Structure formats: structure tokens, C-alpha cells
Amino acid sequence: MDDRRFDRLTRALGGATTRRAGIGAALAGAIGTALWSSGALGGKRSEPEGPCGNGSRADNICSADRDCCTNHCDRISRRCRCLQRGERCKSNQSCCGSHACIDSVCTSNKPPAPPTSTPVPTGTPIPTATPTGTLTPSPTPTNTPVPEPCTVCASGCQYTSVNDAIKAAADGSTITVAPGTWITYADSSRNLTIRGCTAQGGSTSNVILQERSPYVGVVVGSIKGATITLANLTIAGNGTNASSQALTAYGGHFILDGVKIMNFGNQAVQLSGGSLTATSTIFSGNRRAIRMFNATFTGTRTDFYGDGKTSLNAIQVLSMPADESASITITQGIVTGYVDSAFLLPDSDGPINLTLDGVVVRNNTGGNGGAGAAINAGDQANILLKGATAFRSNRATASKGATDGGAIRLKIKSSANARRASLKIVGNEVEFRNNQAVPTGSATCSTCAGAIEVECNSKMQVEFSRVRTATYTSNSPINCALLERASGGGQKEVPNCNYGCSRRRRPTDRRPAEVGRA
């Protein structure tokens, strides 16, 4: 555009009486310049009015918004025009001059033109409008999670009863319980998580699911194969012999994480055809911690505390038919204070597997005839000891001259249908210290074993593996003994841990009949 045309345009925009004073400014950028210079709109003289050039009055006549480059047709004058500040708009093209369409209103908020001394490279996009004034930066989010509201509390929550929350919960729900003591007795056939509510400081010490009293009942039951997870809370019995159990699973599953179960007069957990997995869990003051049949228990950093008076077993397994089995694995933990053998594994047609890895079993006494204070096992028991497992100060009482084991007793029936059993020790970290087998009254027991006693039938169906690799210290009266029952009566005593294998054979090749000859 030459200087004379520019002057004419300037006078036209500045004069209030000029015919085209109200029309929008020239087309933005290279397209507008081309239109003005070439007379692209009908080849007639163009003048800027708004952001795009308009032709003669005749070319500026419109009947609808779509006829105008400003997208606005004045309904009164039937002529295209641009929108002034404060008028409603749809885009920047609709607004006059330097106005911009912000929040659907034309405002004079476009950025000033770049300094003439700094040319803008061709094709470089112009920055978007920046609001004038000083802006206060927004604070950076800290990503701190907002505590979820508790499901159960005294007031202001969805429920005021744990029972009601369990009964109403959909499959996969999580129920969070505020601090307090909550009488609970509910079964569920749905998968649930029940835990102490951290939003109100819930923890194992102050969130208590209490057994109802004096009625006998289960606190939480898993039925129809449901998996129920409990965390960050305590389950308490009423402390009487009438007390039932904390948890029952008939084909169901429990997962415990940071849970304490205490003071149940029957058993804390009853498993039948189900499973229990416990992590960082404590069983305390229960008559039995776990009673199981055809089930699986896995414990990690899990402790069993008996009261030394009425607490019978940490784990009692019931005898099973040949097509069923039980499995117990404990890694890191303490088992103490039980008076009828900490682990009671009876004669069974189905296998019972017990693995202790890094577990301290101490200060238990032997019941059931005084045998096996730590482990009292029979047919089909398979015992594996490894890691830093230790048996310390366990005490069995030998009556009527019977041969009993202070820490472990493994007895196989002398009948012809007796089945196999095994005792295996892996590594040299397993320890037996200060375990005792003590006769009562006038009874004598020269062959009682303070640490391990094994009694076999005539078929010698007991397997041993590296029993002598363990460390034996101050067990009384002797460390280990093997009692073989002869088919015609009588017995052969093999004391002092002579279970080792001959150097001529591998341990797996060693027949039980050959033990004691190494």
C-alpha cells in the first residue's frame, strides 16, 4: 500500500462523518494486505473496517451473519460491521480494531505490537495474549493424599455399626473403621477388606472388633469361598471358656496384615478347607490360636503368645483322610507359652506338612502324656526345619518311664498300616538349647531325649535328613534318641543323635533301618 492510500485510510477512520467510519479494520496479515492492494473484493476500492476489509456499500450489504467476514450482520442497517468493546462475540475476527474475543465478549486486551526494531520472522506464530498487571503464581500442589472418610464411626459416617457395613457391602468393598470398640458378628460371602480408618487415627491398639458376650459367636466369617482381608485392627474375645472364635473359614480365605487376635476361649481361627495368610500378626492369650482341617496357613513375622496356663496349642491340626492335607509354613516369628505342645500334629491318613524358617520356639510344655513340648507329631507328619530356627527351654514330662522328647517327639504307630513321616534339618543354623524331658514321681527315663525323640514301628517308616547338623547345647538328659519297636516285641534304643548318614551313601539313599551306624 502506498503512502497516499494509507493517508486516505487514516483520514477515513478518523472522520466521524465518513461513510465507512463504522466498518471494521483491514484483513489481518498477508491476506488482508493482498485484498486491499488488489481490490480482491469485487475489484472495488476497499477500506478497513474491523479485522477484515469490506468492499463498497453495495458489497457490504448482508442478510445473515454468514455473509460477513466479521461474522456479524447488523439487522437494522443490513450491513456487515465489526463488534465494539463489550458486545458479545464468537471469535476475534468479529471484534473491531485491537479488540479480542475473550470469554465471548470483545475486550481491548490484545498484546501491543512487537517493537519495530525487532522484526518478527516470517511464519513465526505470534504469542497469545498475556494479561496486563502482575500475576501471583499459583502454589505448587504438594500431592498430599486426602484421607478417605471412615465407613464406620459413632456419627457422621455412612454406618454406625460394623455389622451393618459388612452386610451391606458390595463385592470388593473396603470398610474403614474408626477408633472404638465395635461388637461384631457377621458372615460374608463377598470379598471384603476391613481395616482401621487412618483418617481418624485408627490403629491396631484402638480399633477393636469385640466378640459379643455372653453369647457364643464368630466375629467375622468367610463363607462360599469369600476372601476377607483384615488390617490395622484388633479382634478380641470375651475372655471366657464360652468364647467362640474370631474368624471361621469354611472353604474361604483370610488375609491378615497388622492384626492382633486375643482372648478367645475356644480358638482364634477355625479353618476347614480354606486358607489363612498372616503378616505382622499377633495371636495372644487364646486357648488355641489356629485349629485347622484340610487347610493351609502361611505366616510371616507372625507371633504366637500363650498364657502358660490355659493356652493349649499355637496350631492344632485335626486328623484327615488320605485325600486331604494340611500345610503350615512360618517364616520369622515367636511361639511361646503353650502347655499342650505348641504344634500338635496327630496321626493322619493325609499328609501334614510343617515348615519353620527362622522361628524361635521357647518355653512351651508337653501335654498329651507329656511329650513334645514344641512339636508333637505322628503318622504322615513331615517336619522341615531351616534358617535360624531355635528350640529353647521347652520341657516335656515323661510319665511311667515313657521315652519323650523335650522339644520334638515324632511317633509312628507300630501297626502294619502305619504310614511314613519325616524330620529334616537344612543348614547348620538350627539350634536346640536347654530343652528337657523330665520323669515324674518314681518314674525313670534313662533314654528320654531333651531335644528330639523319634519312635518308629517295625517297618522303620521314618525318614531323617542331616539331623546332626543342628547345634545342641545343654539339653537334658541327652540330646536325641531313636526308639525302634521290634515286630516280636521289645525295642532297640539308639541315643545321642546317631541319625546321620553313612559316608558311603547320600542322605537320600539312607534307609531308616541303617540310622545309628554312622
Side-chain angles (χ1 to χ4, degrees):
M1 180 184 297
D2 58 28
D3 293 340
R4 288 175 298 175
R5 177 172 291 183
F6 182 81
D7 290 339
R8 288 199 303 271
L9 291 175
T10 303
R11 288 193 298 272
L13 289 173
T17 59
T18 305
R19 287 193 307 159
R20 294 177 173 83
I23 303 177
L27 283 170
I31 296 176
T33 302
L35 288 172
W36 297 334
S37 59
S38 64
L41 295 177
K44 301 180 181 179
R45 179 172 174 268
S46 300
E47 294 185 8
E49 188 176 45
C52 54
N54 301 308
S56 66
R57 182 177 181 83
D59 288 339
N60 226 18
I61 294 174
C62 62
S63 59
D65 290 344
R66 64 176 177 270
D67 298 333
C68 304
C69 66
T70 59
N71 296 317
H72 182 76
C73 178
D74 192 307
R75 296 295 188 272
I76 297 175
S77 64
R78 301 182 65 81
R79 191 165 177 266
C80 297
R81 72 175 182 87
C82 61
L83 301 176
Q84 300 295 328
R85 185 175 62 178
E87 291 187 281
R88 304 290 295 179
C89 58
K90 295 182 179 179
S91 66
N92 288 339
Q93 186 171 322
S94 300
C95 299
C96 295
S98 63
H99 298 166
C101 186
I102 300 177
D103 295 331
S104 299
V105 178
C106 288
T107 63
S108 55
N109 210 18
K110 282 189 177 180
T116 56
S117 58
T118 306
V120 178
T122 303
T124 302
I126 298 175
T128 56
T130 302
T132 59
T134 302
L135 298 178
T136 303
S138 300
T140 302
T142 58
N143 295 324
T144 302
V146 178
E148 62 178 306
C150 300
T151 308
V152 180
C153 63
S155 62
C157 295
Q158 188 175 3
Y159 299 97
T160 57
S161 162
V162 176
N163 271 1
D164 292 343
I166 292 175
K167 292 176 182 177
D171 186 67
S173 296
T174 295
I175 298 170
T176 55
V177 185
T181 299
W182 306 91
I183 304 301
T184 307
Y185 46 97
D187 294 330
S188 178
S189 60
R190 295 174 293 277
N191 302 319
L192 297 177
T193 295
I194 306 170
R195 59 179 174 81
C197 182
T198 56
Q200 294 191 17
S203 66
T204 304
S205 62
N206 61 20
V207 178
I208 301 172
L209 306 187
Q210 177 73 54
E211 179 191 25
R212 56 181 173 173
S213 179
Y215 305 103
V216 175
V218 176
V219 177
V220 179
S222 169
I223 58 177
K224 298 181 181 179
T227 296
I228 298 179
T229 300
L230 298 109
N232 206 35
L233 51 77
T234 291
I235 306 177
N238 60 40
T240 69
N241 288 337
S243 174
S244 182
Q245 51 237 5
L247 310 174
T248 60
Y250 294 98
H253 312 278
F254 280 101
I255 299 173
L256 309 182
D257 186 2
V259 173
K260 183 176 182 179
I261 305 181
M262 56 187 290
N263 300 336
F264 281 87
N266 197 345
Q267 52 262 343
V269 180
Q270 174 80 34
L271 298 175
S272 180
S275 68
L276 169 64
T277 300
T279 303
S280 301
T281 292
I282 295 175
F283 294 87
S284 177
N286 306 289
R287 185 175 177 84
R288 294 181 180 89
I290 300 173
R291 194 168 189 246
M292 57 193 294
F293 175 88
N294 190 30
T296 299
F297 169 70
T298 303
T300 303
R301 299 186 303 279
T302 294
D303 300 332
F304 298 81
Y305 295 100
D307 62 9
K309 298 177 181 179
T310 61
S311 297
L312 300 181
N313 319 113
I315 299 180
Q316 179 193 28
V317 181
L318 302 182
S319 182
M320 295 171 297
D323 59 345
E324 296 177 339
S325 64
S327 178
I328 303 161
T329 302
I330 305 177
T331 304
Q332 300 179 20
I334 297 172
V335 182
T336 183
Y338 294 95
V339 300
D340 187 24
S341 305
F343 298 95
L344 185 57
L345 318 178
D347 293 331
S348 176
D349 290 331
I352 301 174
N353 304 314
L354 171 64
T355 299
L356 302 181
D357 184 355
V359 180
V360 177
V361 187
R362 68 189 186 200
N363 298 324
N364 301 286
T365 56
N368 191 26
I375 302 174
N376 192 0
D379 290 0
Q380 285 286 47
N382 301 295
I383 303 167
L384 173 61
L385 310 176
K386 60 181 182 177
T389 294
F391 296 86
R392 299 171 184 164
S393 301
N394 299 286
R395 179 186 177 97
T397 301
S399 60
K400 300 180 180 179
T403 302
D404 293 0
I408 299 176
R409 184 196 194 196
L410 180 58
K411 180 179 180 180
I412 308 301
K413 290 178 180 178
S414 59
S415 60
N417 62 352
R419 301 181 183 275
R420 301 186 71 86
S422 66
L423 172 61
K424 300 179 181 181
I425 296 178
V426 177
N428 57 6
E429 294 183 285
V430 177
E431 175 192 48
F432 292 85
R433 181 187 297 271
N434 296 329
N435 301 287
Q436 292 182 304
V438 182
T440 59
S442 59
T444 60
C445 188
S446 60
T447 59
C448 285
I452 302 172
E453 184 271 329
V454 178
E455 186 172 348
C456 308
N457 64 8
S458 58
K459 293 185 176 182
M460 294 297 297
Q461 291 178 316
V462 178
E463 297 177 355
F464 302 100
S465 177
R466 303 182 65 80
V467 174
R468 284 193 298 180
T469 62
T471 299
Y472 299 88
T473 305
S474 302
N475 300 288
S476 176
I478 59 176
N479 288 324
C480 308
L482 173 64
L483 181 65
E484 301 174 9
R485 292 188 179 276
S487 58
Q491 59 190 32
K492 175 184 178 183
E493 297 172 357
V494 186
N496 295 317
C497 286
N498 289 325
Y499 304 162
C501 300
S502 169
R503 295 180 181 178
R504 295 186 300 272
R505 301 193 180 192
R506 295 178 298 172
T508 54
D509 294 334
R510 189 70 170 174
R511 291 179 177 272
E514 296 172 306
V515 298
R517 298 180 186 175

